[in-house]
Amino acid sequence: MTPQAFRLPEGGRVSRDEPVGFVFDGVRYQGYRGDTLASALLANGVHMTGTSIKLGRPRGIFSAGVEEPNAVVQIEAPFPEPMLPATTVELFDGLVASGLPGQGRLSADPDPARYDAVHAHCDVLVVGAGPAGLAAAAAAARSGARVVLADDQPELGGSLLGTREVLDGCPAAEWAAEVGRALEAAPEVRVLRRTTVFGYYDDNHLVAVERRTNHLGPLAPAHLSRERVWRIRARRVVLATGAHERSLAFADNDRPAVMLAGSARAYVNRYGAVPGRRAVVFTTNDSAYAAALDLAAAGVEIAAVADTRPERGEWARRAEQAGIEVLTGHAVVGTEGERRIASVTVAPLDGGSPSGAPREVAADLLLVSGGWNPVVHLFSQAGGRLWYDAELGSFVPDSCRQAVDVAGSARGVFHLSGCLADGAAAGRRATEAEGFAVEEPLALPRAAEEPRSPALPVFVVPGPDGAGSATHFVDLQRDVTVADLARATGAGMSSVEHLKRYTTAGTANDQGKTSGVLTSGAIAHLLGVDVGALGTTTYRAPYAPVSFAALAGRDRGVLHDPVRVTALHDRHVALGALFENVGQWKRPWYYPREGEDMAAAVLRECRAAREGVALMDASTLGKIEVRGPDSGIFLDLLYTNMMSTLKVGMIRYGVMCRADGMVFDDGTVIRLAQDRFLMTTTTGNAAAVLDWMEEWLQTEWPHLRVHCTSVTEQWATVALVGPRSREVLGSLAPELAVDNDAFPFMAWRDTAVAGIGARVCRISFSGELAYEINVLPWDAPALWDALLGAGGRLGITPYGTETMHVLRAEKGYPIIGQDTDGTVTPQDLGMGWAVSKKKPDFIGKRSHSRPDTARPDRKHLVGLLPDDPAVLLPEGAHLIDSEVLPAPPVPMLGHVTSSYRSAALGRTFALALVRGGRDRIGERLYAPVGDHVVPVTVASPVLHDPEGTRRDG
Amino acid sequence: MLLIPCPWCGPRDEAEFHYGGQAHVPYPEDPAALTDEEWARYLFFRDNPKGPHPERWSHADGCRRWFNAVRDTSSNEILAVYRAGEPRPVIA
Amino acid sequence: MAETATRRSPMAHVHARFAAATRSCGGALRLAELPYLTQVNVRLDPKGPAADAVRLELGLPLPLEPNTATRGGGLAALWLGPDEWLVVGPPTARDTLASRLSEAIGDEHASVVDVSAQRTTLLVAGRLATDLLAHGCSLDLHPRSFGAGRCAQTTLARAQVVLVPRDETKPGFWVLVRSSFAGYLAEWLLDAASEYVGEHSAPRT
C-alpha cells in the first residue's frame, strides 16, 4: 500500500515536516509528529488492531480518545508497556507496538525511567481545556486567583482541535492557542498538558498523572521524570471534562471501521487522516451531520445518513444540499465485512423496530452516533448526584457537597457559544466564592449559532424478527452483548450493579466509557423501564488506567521507607556488620568475621559478652524526658510499678499496660532530679508511647503539671557489657568511681568518658555486669573508637541484635512485641513483682482483676529445652501435649516466641507462651515441626544465672 | 485524603493525624469501684452510628495536640472540631 | 561545647554531594546542612510568669499564634504547640541557652530541654526551593500562605520536619529533621534535585 494513502494532502495539526517511523504488528509504517498511534494507523489504512478478548472477533479503532474500548495495544519498544489505547499513544520515532487480544504483558526488566510526584494547591482547578475549560480558566485567572488547568492532550483546545468551528471569524483552535499562551504567561497559573485527572477524592483533593516524556520515546532525557503524579488540593473545582459519544446496539456493530462519528471528524480535521473512502452515517442526533459534512469536504463519499428521527431537521437539509442522501426514520440493522466494514444494511424504523425492506449499502466506514454522554466520572467520584435528561438521553450532573462546578458539555451544553459562556461563568463564580474581585467580565469570542433539533435517543435496534441480539455489542472491550444482558434480566436481575457484575459489562480497563450508559439503556429496553429510574453503575477512580510505576513514583528502593540510622552507622558498616530492620531502624544484626556463618558469629559474640567484654549500639531506644512537679504521680499512673519513690541518681525498670491490662511497653526510668525523669521505651514504640503519654495528659489529666519531650536522638547510647566492662570503663573515666559500692547496679552517674561528657547508667539487658554510656550523637563515633581502643587488649567485641536477643532470652527477659502480642499481662510474663499492690490505681490495674485476666490457666512465659540439645525450634511453632499429632481440631497449649542457640548453656533453648505454663515446669510437651514432633521440656524462663550474681557483682 | 482542620494548625492532610477512637469516654473516676461489667463497658463498648460521631484525633505529625472532631461517618465530612476538654458542640 | 575535630554531624557524609547538586542545578537550588545549631525545647503556660521570664531573658516573645515564629538577637522561637516552642540559636549558644532559660524561669513550672542533637538543620534555598519541597510536602508553601514569619511541623517525604521559611531577603527554607532521618531525607532531596540538573539561578525567559 502507498505510504499514508489515507492522509489528506493538507490540513490537520500534524507536523508534516517531521515524519516519524514506527512498527505495528511487525510492519513498518510512517506517520507524523502530532499523530497518535491510532491516527497514524488510519492514515496508513489500518483499522483492525486486534481481536476481541472473549469471542476473538476482529476489532478496530473505534474512537479518537481516552474512551477507546477496542484499539488496545502493547508497547514493545522503547520499553514494554501493556494495554494502552492506541488513541492515546503519541507517535514518536522508534515506537514498536502490537495489537492485543485482551491482556498485555509487563516487562520482566526493571523500568529504568524516573517517576515522581508533586503536591499542588490552587484556588481554582479547571479540568479540561476545551472551550468551556479554557473560558473558565481565563475568567478565573483574571482575578489573580491561583489557577491550575489540566488537560489530557498535548495541545489545548479539546473538541475545538477536531472540528472546523470558527470563533470571531478565525479557526477556533487559534483562539484556544491564544488563550493558552496568555494563561501560561500568567504568574499564578499552571497549565498542565498531557495530564489526566484520574481521581476526585474528599475535600477537593484531586490526583492527576502528567505524561512528561513518553512522547519523546527513546530521546526522553533520563533525569526528567517520565510521568508525574500531581496531588492537587483545590479550593474550588471546575469540571469541563467534555462528553463522550456513544454507540448504539445493533447487529454486528463491532466490526473494524465502525467508528464514532465525532471521532472520525477529529481524525479528518485534527490529524488530516480519512478513516475510509465511502461511509454510511447512523445517528440519533444532529452532531453526526457535522461529521458527515466535514468528511464529505475532505473527499469521503457519504453513501447515506440513517437518522432514527422521522422528521427532516435543518442539518438534514444541509446534508442534502451537499448531495448526501438522508434516510430519516431509518436505522442500521447489520454490517458485513471481515477485517473491516464492506457493507451496511439499513432499514426503516417503525415504533423503534425495523420494518420494511432492508437495503444493503456498500461502504468501508460506518459512523455511529447514539448521542453524547457528559463525562461525569470525576463529578460522580466527588460524591455528586446525577439525573437523567431524557431529551439528551444522558445522565448529567445534579448537586454535590464538594466545592465543584461543572461547565460545558460535561453538563449537557453541547453548542460552542453555550460552552464558552458556561465556562466563563463557572470560572468567575469560583473565584468570587474565594473572595477574588473581578472587574469587567471576560470578553468571549463570538461563535456561529448552529441549528438545533431534539435527539431521539435509541439504545437498541432490535433484530429484524425482534430477537437474536448475540452480536448487538454494548461493551466492546468485555464482549458483552444485549443477549448477555437479556440472559441476566431473564435470570431475574434488575439492578444495574448486579447486571454489571453478572455480565462484566463496564468492568474492563476502559471503565465502560463508551458502554456504561448504553448498557443502562439496553437494560432499560429489556426491562421496559425508564433509563433514569434504572440509573448507572458507580463511577470510581481511576478515570483512566494509571501505571503502578507512576503511583509508586520515587518511593522505591532506598527511598521506599525511611531508613533510620544511629550516629554509629558508619562504624558498623566499617566493621562488616549485617543489618536487621527494627521498625524503620537499621540495627547491626551481627558482625561476622571471615569464614563465620551467623550461628558461629553469634556464639562468639555471646561468649565475649559473658566471659570478657563486648559492646553494642543501643541508641535506638526511645527516650523521653518527663518534667514537672507532678511527674512522679504521672509515672505512677503510667507504669505498673512505683516510680515516685525512685531516688535521684537511681534507675528502675518499669512495665506499661493499656487500660485492658495488657503489656504495652517496657523500659527504664532514671530520676535526674526531684521533678525530672528520663524514661526509655522500646525501639519500635517510641512515638506510640509519647503519643500515649500526651493523650492522657491532654485529655484525662490536664491538671497534672507535667511536660514530656522526646530526646531519642539527643543521646547516642553504647552498652558496655561483660565481666571485664568495669575495667574498660574505669580506664576511660578517671573521675568515676566504678567499684560496686560507689556505683551499684541501677545507678547512674554523669562523668567524662574518653574526655566526652557522658551519662553512664549501670543497667543490664544481658544479665552481665554492664553499663550504658550516653553521649551526644555527634561524639558517639569518638566514644565508640575509644572503647574499642581501651578494650582491645581484652578482646572487646562488638555485638548486634541477635546476640542481644540470645543474652536477654537466657535471662528470661521478654521482648515486648516478640514474646508478647497484646494479649499478655505482666503476670503472664512472670513479672508480678513489677506490678504494684500499693498504688490505688495505674492504667490497666482494674483489668488485672477481671475474671478472664485473673484466670490461673492463662498462658505464661516459660522456657523450653528441646530433648535434643542441637534442635532449634522454629519461632511460632505450636505446642501440644501428645507425642502423636491427634486428629483436628488439635488442642493447642501455646507457641514458641523466641528460640536460640546458647553458648552459655551449650545447647538450644526457647521461650514460649504456654497455657498454665508455670505449673507445667518439668513437664514434657511436643512441638509439631513439619512431619515430625519435637519433644521439649518446660523450664523456668530464667536459664542463666538465676541468682543474678553476675549482673549485681 | 481528608483535610482535617486541626484546631491549632488549621487544615492539614489526614495523613498527619492519628485516630483515637470515640471521644467523651472519660477514664472512670475510681476504676476500683466499678463492677466487672461496668469496667468492661468502659473498655470495650463504643458507639457505631451512621452519621455524626465525636472522635478523638491527634495531630501527630504537627502540634501533637489531641482534639475532638465530629465526623459524619457516612460522608467523612468533619462537622466540627474542638479542643480537648471543650464540650461537644451542638450540630444542627 | 565547641565543635571538635572528632565530632560528626548527621549529614556530614553528604556535604560534598549537597555542594555538587547545588552546582549542577546552577544555583537554582541550594542544599546545605547547618549543623550543630543550638536548639532548646521549651514547654510552659504561655499565660504564666514563666513566659514573661523567657521573653525578658531572650528579648523575644514566644509566638502565640500557631505556626508562626519570632526572631531577634540571633535567635528564633518557633511555635510547636500551644505550650511548646523550639528556640534555635547559633552553635555557640549551646553552653548557655538552656541554662539561661532555666535560671530565668526559676521555680515556675516549665520544661527546658536541650535538644540540639535531636534534629539537624538543612538549608533548602534557591528559586526552585519551593518546587523541590513540593515533591514531598503536602503543605501549601506559596508565599501567600507560608511566607516569612511562619513555621510548621509537617512531613517531608516520609520524615517529620519543622519547616521554617527564611525572611524575604533570603528565599528558601530551614528544614529541621530528626537526626536518625537525616540521611534518608538527604538522599531523598538529592534524588529530587536530580530533576533540576542544568537549571539556572535566574529563571529562563
Side-chain angles (χ1 to χ4, degrees):
Chain A
M1 189 185 287
T2 328
Q4 306 204 47
F6 287 78
R7 184 79 71 179
L8 292 169
E10 58 185 13
R13 311 187 64 78
V14 292
S15 307
R16 289 172 191 259
D17 52 353
E18 291 182 83
V20 169
F22 69 101
V23 173
F24 184 75
D25 278 344
V27 181
R28 188 166 295 279
Y29 297 101
Q30 195 198 67
Y32 294 124
R33 173 156 292 286
D35 262 326
T36 62
L37 176 57
S39 68
L41 287 171
L42 290 173
N44 285 283
V46 179
H47 267 267
M48 181 178 158
T49 54
T51 51
S52 70
I53 184 166
K54 210 163 72 184
L55 304 171
R57 289 171 66 99
R59 291 284 166 79
I61 297 161
F62 185 69
S63 74
V66 66
E67 68 270 35
E68 176 62 33
N70 270 347
V72 175
V73 300
Q74 169 83 34
I75 306 295
E76 309 283 359
F79 188 79
E81 207 174 347
M83 298 185 80
L84 298 183
T87 51
T88 65
V89 175
E90 285 184 57
L91 200 66
F92 54 81
D93 213 35
L95 175 69
V96 180
S98 53
L100 273 181
Q103 277 178 9
R105 178 177 48 79
L106 286 168
S107 169
D109 299 321
D111 187 345
R114 182 179 170 81
Y115 298 82
D116 70 359
V118 173
H119 293 271
H121 299 259
C122 59
D123 296 305
V124 183
L125 167 66
V126 180
V127 184
L134 284 170
R142 289 160 58 78
S143 68
R146 294 161 66 194
V147 176
V148 173
L149 171 64
D151 186 86
D152 70 345
Q153 293 295 306
E155 208 179 348
L156 304 184
S159 62
L160 302 179
L161 302 174
T163 69
R164 298 182 182 189
E165 287 165 291
V166 167
L167 286 171
D168 281 346
C170 294
E174 281 180 22
W175 172 82
E178 182 54 42
V179 172
R181 277 192 292 275
L183 288 170
E184 277 175 335
E188 296 297 346
V189 177
R190 191 194 293 274
V191 177
L192 297 172
R193 299 153 191 271
R194 297 188 171 95
T195 302
T196 305
V197 177
F198 65 80
Y200 195 139
Y201 302 93
D202 288 299
D203 295 316
N204 269 1
H205 190 239
L206 292 93
V207 185
V209 64
E210 178 189 11
R211 293 165 294 277
R212 302 180 74 217
T213 66
N214 307 43
H215 62 288
L216 302 176
L219 301 176
H223 75 285
L224 294 181
S225 58
R226 181 171 187 257
E227 296 184 6
R228 170 170 289 174
V229 168
W230 288 85
R231 306 183 198 284
I232 305 167
R233 188 72 77 170
R235 300 188 69 87
R236 321 278 312 182
V237 173
V238 176
L239 295 175
T241 43
H244 290 151
E245 201 164 19
R246 66 166 181 263
S247 181
L248 302 86
F250 54 90
D252 292 316
N253 62 348
D254 67 325
R255 293 188 199 279
V258 175
M259 183 180 280
L260 294 169
S263 299
R265 189 184 183 196
Y267 282 119
V268 168
N269 293 322
R270 180 170 175 186
Y271 302 102
V274 286
R277 303 290 187 209
R278 183 178 156 88
V280 170
V281 180
F282 179 22
T283 188
T284 64
N285 63 88
D286 286 345
S287 71
Y289 285 93
L293 289 168
D294 282 3
L295 261 69
V300 179
E301 184 187 347
I302 307 297
V305 175
D307 190 329
T308 54
R309 298 173 293 185
E311 305 84 23
R312 188 171 258 86
E314 174 58 27
W315 277 102
R317 275 189 285 277
R318 284 192 192 182
E320 285 172 334
Q321 275 164 24
I324 297 170
E325 182 184 7
V326 177
L327 302 167
T328 53
H330 270 66
V332 171
V333 296
T335 66
E336 291 297 333
E338 274 307 309
R339 294 182 63 84
R340 70 183 291 175
I341 291 278
S343 72
V344 175
T345 305
V346 297
L349 276 179
D350 183 14
S353 289
S355 66
R359 176 177 139 199
E360 191 170 327
V361 183
D364 65 353
L365 180 65
L366 171 58
L367 306 189
V368 294
S369 180
W372 292 80
N373 299 326
V375 177
V376 294
H377 300 63
L378 292 176
F379 178 80
S380 188
Q381 286 178 28
R385 282 198 306 267
L386 306 174
W387 66 280
Y388 183 71
D389 183 329
E391 194 176 320
L392 294 175
S394 305
F395 290 89
V396 293
D398 187 2
S399 60
C400 182
R401 64 179 169 79
Q402 302 215 44
V404 58
D405 225 333
V406 186
S409 57
R411 70 175 193 96
V413 176
F414 288 126
H415 56 289
L416 180 52
S417 58
C419 285
L420 291 168
D422 206 37
R428 182 173 177 144
R429 269 198 304 279
T431 43
E432 281 175 353
E434 289 308 311
F436 289 89
V438 194
E439 333 87 63
E440 77 268 36
L442 179 72
L444 290 171
R446 214 162 18 80
E449 282 305 322
E450 300 289 1
R452 276 178 264 164
S453 40
L456 177 63
V458 170
F459 294 102
V460 179
V461 179
D465 48 0
S469 49
T471 64
H472 285 56
F473 286 88
V474 290
D475 186 335
L476 294 165
Q477 205 169 31
R478 279 281 189 237
D479 267 348
V480 178
T481 65
V482 174
D484 295 325
L485 296 173
R487 230 180 341 270
T489 56
M493 274 171 256
S494 58
S495 150
V496 66
E497 297 285 4
H498 289 156
L499 278 139
K500 168 182 174 173
R501 282 151 185 83
Y502 185 75
T503 62
T504 73
T507 61
N509 74 342
D510 69 351
Q511 294 258 305
K513 290 184 186 65
T514 55
S515 66
V517 176
L518 178 56
T519 302
S520 287
I523 295 167
H525 169 87
L526 290 166
L527 294 173
V529 300
D530 178 55
V531 186
L534 187 72
T536 65
T537 53
T538 310
Y539 295 90
R540 293 192 178 85
Y543 166 68
V546 185
S547 68
F548 282 111
L551 293 174
R554 297 164 53 228
D555 296 336
R556 307 198 293 190
V558 292
L559 300 182
H560 175 250
D561 197 40
V563 171
R564 299 178 72 181
V565 297
T566 73
L568 293 168
H569 189 73
D570 291 352
R571 294 295 189 272
H572 304 318
V573 171
L575 286 165
L578 297 183
F579 290 87
E580 179 183 32
N581 293 330
V582 182
Q584 292 173 321
W585 290 96
K586 288 274 178 218
R587 298 195 67 181
W589 192 13
Y590 58 98
Y591 299 78
R593 289 184 180 163
E594 198 160 330
E596 272 184 344
D597 61 6
M598 177 168 166
V602 170
L603 287 173
R604 171 179 53 76
E605 291 173 13
C606 286
R607 204 170 292 121
R610 292 261 183 254
E611 294 171 11
V613 59
L615 81 174
M616 183 189 72
D617 182 358
S619 305
T620 60
L621 287 183
K623 304 168 199 77
I624 299 166
E625 192 158 328
V626 183
R627 283 207 186 189
D630 296 328
S631 298
I633 298 171
F634 178 54
L635 294 180
D636 279 351
L637 286 164
L638 198 65
Y639 285 98
T640 60
N641 48 346
M642 193 79 90
M643 289 300 172
S644 53
T645 55
L646 182 64
K647 290 188 173 56
V648 174
M650 299 304 287
I651 306 172
R652 193 165 286 167
Y653 170 81
V655 178
M656 270 181 222
C657 291
R658 297 270 190 193
D660 65 2
M662 303 303 154
V663 174
F664 162 50
D665 204 68
D666 71 342
T668 56
V669 175
I670 77 179
R671 191 161 205 164
L672 298 169
Q674 193 55 34
D675 62 348
R676 264 178 85 187
F677 294 83
L678 179 68
M679 51 183 271
T680 65
T681 73
T682 56
T683 295
N685 241 356
V689 170
L690 184 59
D691 245 17
W692 175 244
M693 294 167 73
E694 288 287 354
E695 181 172 11
W696 286 98
L697 285 173
Q698 291 176 31
T699 64
E700 297 291 348
W701 302 319
H703 59 281
L704 292 181
R705 292 163 303 161
V706 180
H707 289 305
C708 306
T709 304
S710 168
V711 288
T712 296
E713 280 121 303
Q714 177 69 12
W715 300 100
T717 306
V718 178
L720 184 66
V721 175
R724 319 233 15 207
S725 58
R726 183 177 281 137
E727 279 171 62
V728 175
L729 179 63
S731 71
L732 289 174
E735 293 159 24
L736 182 69
V738 293
D739 63 279
N740 202 34
D741 293 335
F743 191 8
F745 182 58
M746 294 308 249
W748 64 269
R749 302 286 183 264
D750 278 348
T751 186
V753 179
I756 299 163
R759 173 170 298 143
V760 183
C761 301
R762 195 176 151 194
I763 47 184
S764 176
F765 194 46
S766 57
E768 295 299 323
L769 173 68
Y771 304 89
E772 288 187 1
I773 306 167
N774 298 278
V775 297
L776 287 176
W778 311 330
D779 295 323
L783 172 74
W784 181 266
D785 294 346
L787 290 168
L788 284 180
R793 64 184 178 82
L794 301 174
I796 193 167
T797 301
Y799 69 91
T801 49
E802 190 66 16
T803 291
M804 174 190 85
H805 276 274
V806 178
L807 298 174
R808 64 89 197 171
E810 287 169 347
K811 292 290 293 178
Y813 299 152
I815 295 271
I816 307 306
Q818 173 166 341
D819 300 298
T820 71
D821 60 4
T823 66
V824 179
T825 65
Q827 295 85 348
D828 297 340
L829 292 173
M831 289 187 168
W833 56 267
V835 180
S836 167
K837 308 275 187 300
K838 289 187 208 143
K839 291 195 288 185
D841 195 22
F842 57 82
I843 299 168
K845 179 178 169 75
R846 177 64 185 81
S847 289
H848 290 158
S849 58
R850 291 183 66 235
D852 186 65
T853 325
R855 255 176 34 225
D857 63 341
R858 288 179 61 84
K859 287 180 182 172
H860 302 148
L861 186 75
V862 294
L864 294 181
L865 296 171
D867 284 9
D868 179 344
V871 167
L872 186 69
L873 289 168
E875 287 172 357
H878 282 276
L879 297 165
I880 57 173
D881 65 358
S882 63
E883 198 168 356
V884 180
L885 196 60
V890 180
M892 303 293 187
L893 294 177
H895 69 279
V896 173
T897 59
S898 295
S899 177
Y900 306 101
R901 292 174 211 284
S902 167
L905 305 173
R907 55 162 302 134
T908 59
F909 73 105
L911 297 177
L913 286 168
V914 176
R915 182 168 307 147
R918 282 195 290 275
D919 301 324
R920 292 180 188 268
I921 287 174
E923 265 182 40
R924 164 77 49 89
L925 293 178
Y926 302 89
V929 177
D931 295 334
H932 55 285
V933 169
V934 178
V936 300
T937 303
V938 181
S940 156
V942 187
L943 295 166
H944 180 70
D945 185 28
E947 298 78 26
T949 49
R950 302 178 65 87
R951 179 192 72 186
D952 301 338
Chain B
M1 183 72 71
L2 296 179
L3 201 58
I4 297 179
C6 168
W8 301 100
C9 301
R12 296 287 187 95
D13 273 12
E14 169 193 357
E16 294 193 0
F17 296 83
H18 284 177
Y19 182 63
Q22 185 178 340
H24 310 299
V25 184
Y27 187 71
E29 200 68 40
D30 181 8
L34 301 188
T35 64
D36 285 338
E37 197 195 316
E38 287 166 335
W39 179 248
R41 200 151 276 284
Y42 163 73
L43 282 181
F44 302 124
F45 285 69
R46 295 295 182 268
D47 297 337
N48 184 24
K50 180 181 180 184
H53 188 228
E55 299 168 336
R56 257 185 203 177
W57 288 82
S58 158
H59 190 192
D61 290 344
C63 63
R64 300 193 300 114
R65 288 312 102 172
W66 285 88
F67 62 93
N68 296 321
V70 179
R71 182 177 62 98
D72 187 323
T73 57
S74 65
S75 67
N76 271 338
E77 214 170 338
I78 309 267
L79 305 172
V81 292
Y82 48 107
R83 294 170 184 178
E86 292 179 354
R88 176 180 174 174
V90 178
I91 289 162
Chain C
M1 227 176 280
E3 187 172 342
T4 64
T6 56
R7 282 213 157 153
R8 205 169 151 75
S9 69
M11 292 192 189
H13 61 294
V14 291
H15 286 178
R17 289 168 63 205
F18 278 166
T22 300
R23 278 194 303 276
S24 67
C25 297
L29 282 172
R30 206 146 66 76
L31 295 176
E33 186 186 16
L34 307 174
Y36 309 121
L37 293 187
T38 299
Q39 299 170 50
V40 176
N41 191 283
V42 176
R43 297 198 68 169
L44 48 75
D45 175 0
K47 295 189 208 78
D52 293 331
V54 168
R55 177 171 48 77
L56 289 172
E57 179 61 33
L58 298 180
L60 189 68
L62 295 172
L64 298 183
E65 189 190 332
N67 295 298
T68 63
T70 52
R71 287 164 187 275
L75 299 174
L78 313 178
W79 186 95
L80 298 186
D83 65 356
E84 185 169 10
W85 294 266
L86 190 67
V87 181
V88 183
T92 48
R94 210 182 145 250
D95 285 341
T96 52
L97 187 56
S99 51
R100 267 172 63 200
L101 289 172
S102 293
E103 279 161 32
I105 290 167
D107 289 337
E108 297 297 333
H109 167 47
S111 163
V112 174
V113 181
D114 177 24
V115 289
S116 301
Q118 173 84 347
R119 299 179 183 90
T120 191
T121 307
L122 191 75
L123 176 72
V124 179
R127 70 177 174 87
L128 297 177
T130 304
D131 298 80
L132 187 75
L133 296 183
H135 282 287
C137 178
S138 68
L139 281 195
D140 185 1
L141 303 175
H142 191 282
R144 282 184 193 173
S145 48
F146 197 65
R150 318 246 358 137
C151 69
Q153 294 170 95
T154 184
T155 50
L156 176 59
R158 290 172 198 238
Q160 273 179 260
V161 294
V162 186
L163 273 187
V164 189
R166 298 200 300 170
D167 55 43
E168 284 93 346
T169 57
K170 292 185 280 183
F173 301 86
W174 281 357
V175 181
L176 285 79
V177 61
R178 299 272 290 258
S179 300
S180 63
F181 287 91
Y184 157 77
L185 193 63
E187 292 299 335
W188 187 91
L189 284 165
L190 284 164
D191 180 71
S194 66
E195 181 83 13
Y196 302 97
V197 165
E199 285 286 350
H200 303 277
S201 57
R204 277 173 295 194
T205 50

